[in-house]
Amino acid sequence: MMKWAGKGYKCLISAILVIALAASSLVTGYAEPVSGPGANITSGNSGSTNNVTIYVSKRTKTLSLKQNGVLIAEYPVSMGAASSEGNKKVEGDMRTPSGEFYVCTRNDKSVAYLALGLSYPAIKDAERGYADGIITEAQRDEIIKANKEGKQPPWDTPLGGAIEIHGCRVPDGTTHGCVAVDNNDMDVLWSYCNLGVPVTIGP
């Protein structure tokens, strides 16, 4: 009985230490918006992104992960069901957006395993949306401001949002607009991608 009590006591102390360490490091999985490359992405990556970049090809349905320009891995992806019909324009059109984005959130409690939120709508999307009468001037300005500051843009406008790179890919399946990868691949992406990592979605 004393041996069990001793083991139980040690487990309790270990658990308390783990919780205290996590609290002290502020590890939550829900990354707070921070200054990142954002709209200044062409000026070079900040040190926090470790020169990591992602390119998603709509044509080949692949994601390429690079660091310092060197290919680390290439993964198959699933994308929006209607992505072949053109660029994303509005919420619910089932298209994956094209353009230059950056990782603006990290979510380790996603229903799709792990998720890296992307900064869609970008500045070009906001300008197009306003010109087409889809969003208001105030919404356009809020999206542009968030992108320039490297933060998460509003995800609740008629342009849509919450576009993520996440796990739970279904082979030969589709998404509502996100980029889905296999969970093992998502583990690698999660380990490499801090807030601000540039993500280009193109042909």
Side-chain angles (χ1 to χ4, degrees), residues 27-111:
V27 176
T28 64
Y30 293 97
E32 292 296 318
V34 295
S35 294
N40 297 321
I41 204 169
T42 54
S43 64
N45 300 327
S46 68
S48 66
T49 63
N50 300 319
N51 294 313
V52 172
T53 59
I54 288 175
Y55 180 80
V56 178
S57 169
K58 286 186 170 182
R59 181 176 55 81
T60 63
K61 295 183 180 178
T62 57
L63 181 152
S64 300
L65 173 67
K66 293 184 178 182
Q67 186 169 38
N68 297 312
V70 178
L71 182 67
I72 296 169
E74 190 171 84
Y75 305 123
V77 303
S78 294
M79 290 184 287
S83 293
S84 61
E85 298 174 14
N87 193 15
K88 184 170 187 62
K89 293 184 177 179
V90 294
E91 172 70 26
D93 63 9
M94 304 291 283
R95 298 177 184 181
T96 298
S98 297
E100 293 187 357
F101 310 101
Y102 52 90
V103 174
C104 63
T105 63
R106 282 167 51 91
N107 182 1
D108 68 350
K109 296 177 176 63
S110 169
V111 294

Side-chain angles (χ1 to χ4, degrees), residues 87-89 98 101 119-148 153-154 157-160:
N87 193 15
K88 184 170 187 62
K89 293 184 177 179
S98 297
F101 310 101
S119 58
Y120 172 87
I123 292 176
K124 287 183 179 179
D125 301 305
E127 292 172 340
R128 170 190 54 78
Y130 178 65
D132 292 347
I134 300 171
I135 58 173
T136 65
E137 182 178 4
Q139 289 172 324
R140 178 200 66 185
D141 293 346
E142 190 177 357
I143 292 169
I144 291 173
K145 182 176 184 290
N147 272 271
K148 286 184 174 179
T157 75
L159 295 177

